[in-house]
Amino acid sequence: ETICVWKNLLHIDCWGCGITRAFYSLCQLDFAAAWNYNPRIYVVVPLLIYIWLREVIKTLKQLKR
């Protein structure tokens, strides 16, 4: 049973299905499992790192002022 509305209505995986399990697998360096859960994890994680670093740099610049 899933809570995904997309999967429940259309019976196909949405783009987000498996992303949490893929992230968890990636944190454990299980790259194959991450890919099997959701290959989009290799797009999402670099984007999240970029956004996080951008915010950290912006905050550090503000603190220097």
Side-chain angles (χ1 to χ4, degrees), residues 4-13:
C4 179
V5 176
W6 189 268
K7 188 163 185 153
N8 284 332
L9 292 176
L10 302 176
H11 305 291
I12 57 173
D13 287 344

Side-chain angles (χ1 to χ4, degrees), residues 8-51:
N8 284 332
L9 292 176
L10 302 176
H11 305 291
I12 57 173
D13 287 344
C14 72
W15 284 27
C17 285
I19 203 79
T20 302
R21 291 174 288 168
F23 185 77
Y24 182 75
S25 295
L26 202 58
C27 288
Q28 294 185 335
L29 304 179
D30 189 353
F31 303 109
W35 178 269
N36 288 332
Y37 284 127
N38 191 332
R40 292 175 192 91
I41 192 71
Y42 293 106
V43 173
V44 171
V45 168
L47 286 174
L48 288 176
I49 291 171
Y50 168 74
I51 292 168

